[in-house]
Amino acid sequence: MAKRIDLDHPGADFLTFWQERHLCTLTTLRPDGTPHVVPVGVTYDAEQRVARVITNKTSRKVAHILESTTPARVAVCQVDGRRWATLEGTATIRTSTEDVADAERRYAERYTRVPRPNPDRVVIEITVGRATGNGVFAAG
């Protein structure tokens, strides 16, 4: 059963789930409003309520965010057996060397591998406003 996660007190199980190594999906919206879903790696900073995805600046997901005429609404989701969780929010593209290096470091920590060099890398930074999970996550 799905439940809303209290972002002020998400619970240790929920936070641990977002630190474990899991493949995720990112959903962006095309200009016609239809969803575009792709596999990604995601890191989540619960204190800042920010999720990050590293990607190439020429990717369709980046284009969808940049083409949005309103704050770009996105969602990242991960699943492991019967556990699943989704983070929803608005996305911004970050291009500074410092932002990219920080996101790469976070990615390397979570996924235990350093991303290959990519001079065209950018960061999709998601300001998280809502989280849901399947109910196995106890409130903190």
Side-chain angles (χ1 to χ4, degrees):
M1 177 163 77
K3 75 174 209 170
R4 187 136 181 204
I5 305 297
D6 180 352
L7 291 172
D8 291 324
H9 307 284
D13 292 342
F14 182 82
L15 296 175
T16 298
F17 189 52
W18 280 101
Q19 293 168 348
E20 297 168 355
R21 188 180 197 282
H22 296 293
L23 184 62
C24 303
T25 60
L26 169 69
T27 303
T28 58
L29 298 177
R30 296 180 182 101
D32 67 3
T34 59
H36 177 251
V37 183
V38 294
V40 294
V42 175
T43 61
Y44 180 51
D45 181 332
E47 287 183 20
Q48 293 183 10
R49 293 187 185 176
V50 171
R52 293 173 180 85
V53 175
I54 56 175
T55 189
N56 196 297
K57 68 182 178 183
T58 61
S59 70
R60 287 306 313 152
K61 53 190 165 285
V62 168
H64 294 153
I65 292 165
L66 293 175
E67 292 167 355
S68 181
T69 58
T70 61
R73 302 284 309 164
V74 301
V76 289
C77 182
Q78 66 182 9
V79 63
D80 178 46
R82 62 184 281 264
R83 298 184 304 161
W84 65 267
T86 301
L87 304 173
E88 301 173 38
T90 55
T92 304
I93 305 303
R94 302 286 183 209
T95 60
S96 77
T97 303
E98 297 81 15
D99 288 336
V100 172
D102 178 57
E104 288 173 335
R105 178 189 57 77
R106 292 170 188 271
Y107 178 95
E109 286 175 9
R110 180 172 189 198
Y111 291 97
T112 63
R113 72 174 190 83
V114 175
R116 65 175 165 57
N118 179 354
D120 293 328
R121 182 167 287 134
V122 297
V123 180
I124 298 172
E125 185 177 279
I126 304 161
T127 301
V128 176
R130 172 184 282 202
T132 53
N134 68 335
V136 300
F137 301 108

